[in-house]
Amino acid sequence: DPHQTSDTTSAAIVIEIFSGLVTLNSDLDIVPDLAESWEISPDGTRYTFTLREGLAFSDGTPISASDFKWSMERAANPDTESTVAELYLGDIIGIQEIIDGNAIEAEGIRVIDTQTLLIIIDSPKPYFLAKLTYPTAFVLERSNVKLGGENWTENPVGTGPFVLEEYRVGERIVLARNENYNGRPAYLDKVLMNLAGGVGMA
């Protein structure tokens, strides 16, 4: 579950299956991911993201701005039991109220239209975009989470370059190429992660 991820080992696997508005390149620069572009207001508190055209989850379901709003609010919801939601999303107006159990929606996350998402933070923070590169801000498919219940992560629908093909606890994880990936297709058909140590590729 990206919204429960709190260690780098888990995050390294999560980013192969899920993604968010922005990401880091090999030089650790913040670059567009599912967002095509963004604008920051002169006062540094309003971030307007424009999503890329034709975005889809790994099962082919279209992605819209409302999916990001729902996902971030879900990350902050006490029922999700995220230990890092406050750290990575707490700058957003209204997120703390959700964390405290006093709201279910954040005033600072607004859907302008299907392709446009507005995020409002409580004060100018040059590091805010960097926080959105962490899995806590990644987008999930609502029906996948809702219908899958507590075991939804056994068959996750994501947006990353790979999909989860097999997971044997304590043994191995097998990732397969996501044919509906929104970026350049993965060069590998599969990746085998031996949880006892080692990575295999095909």
Side-chain angles (χ1 to χ4, degrees):
D1 187 332
H3 299 163
Q4 294 179 336
T5 302
S6 59
D7 64 281
T8 55
T9 301
S10 298
I13 298 172
V14 166
I15 62 173
E16 301 298 340
I17 302 173
F18 302 92
S19 55
L21 293 165
V22 291
T23 190
L24 298 173
N25 65 14
S26 57
D27 296 320
L28 299 182
D29 297 319
I30 298 170
V31 295
D33 196 350
L34 297 180
E36 178 181 74
S37 61
W38 60 87
E39 294 181 1
I40 305 173
S41 63
D43 69 355
T45 64
R46 300 168 72 91
Y47 290 72
T48 304
F49 295 90
T50 300
L51 301 184
R52 290 162 51 188
E53 293 283 345
L55 291 177
F57 288 102
S58 57
D59 66 351
T61 302
I63 300 171
S64 71
S66 62
D67 293 310
F68 281 94
K69 175 177 170 61
W70 178 83
S71 295
M72 291 183 194
E73 291 169 345
R74 183 252 180 193
N77 193 299
D79 291 341
T80 302
E81 299 181 346
S82 172
T83 60
V84 292
E86 184 173 3
L87 174 63
Y88 290 102
L89 302 177
D91 302 315
I92 301 172
I93 292 175
I95 284 292
Q96 189 62 53
E97 284 76 7
I98 297 176
I99 292 172
D100 293 340
N102 297 321
I104 57 173
E105 292 190 44
E107 179 186 346
I109 306 177
R110 303 179 186 177
V111 175
I112 306 303
D113 56 43
T114 57
Q115 297 295 115
T116 312
L117 182 73
L118 172 63
I119 295 180
I120 308 169
I121 58 177
D122 53 17
S123 63
K125 295 169 184 175
Y127 52 80
F128 175 68
L129 271 179
K131 289 187 173 185
L132 297 185
T133 67
Y134 198 75
T136 317
F138 284 4
V139 66
L140 305 181
E141 186 186 47
R142 186 183 321 204
S143 62
N144 179 224
V145 177
K146 295 284 191 181
L147 296 177
E150 294 183 359
N151 300 318
W152 76 270
T153 53
E154 294 179 6
N155 294 287
V157 173
T159 52
F162 292 94
V163 295
L164 180 64
E165 183 173 281
E166 181 183 2
Y167 177 29
R168 295 185 183 179
V169 178
E171 295 182 29
R172 68 180 186 176
I173 292 176
V174 180
L175 304 179
R177 182 191 293 117
N178 176 7
E179 301 299 342
N180 286 315
Y181 183 49
N182 302 285
R184 184 183 66 195
Y187 293 129
L188 304 173
D189 294 326
K190 292 187 180 183
V191 175
L192 167 61
M193 298 182 177
N194 183 343
L195 299 182
V199 176
M201 304 175 186

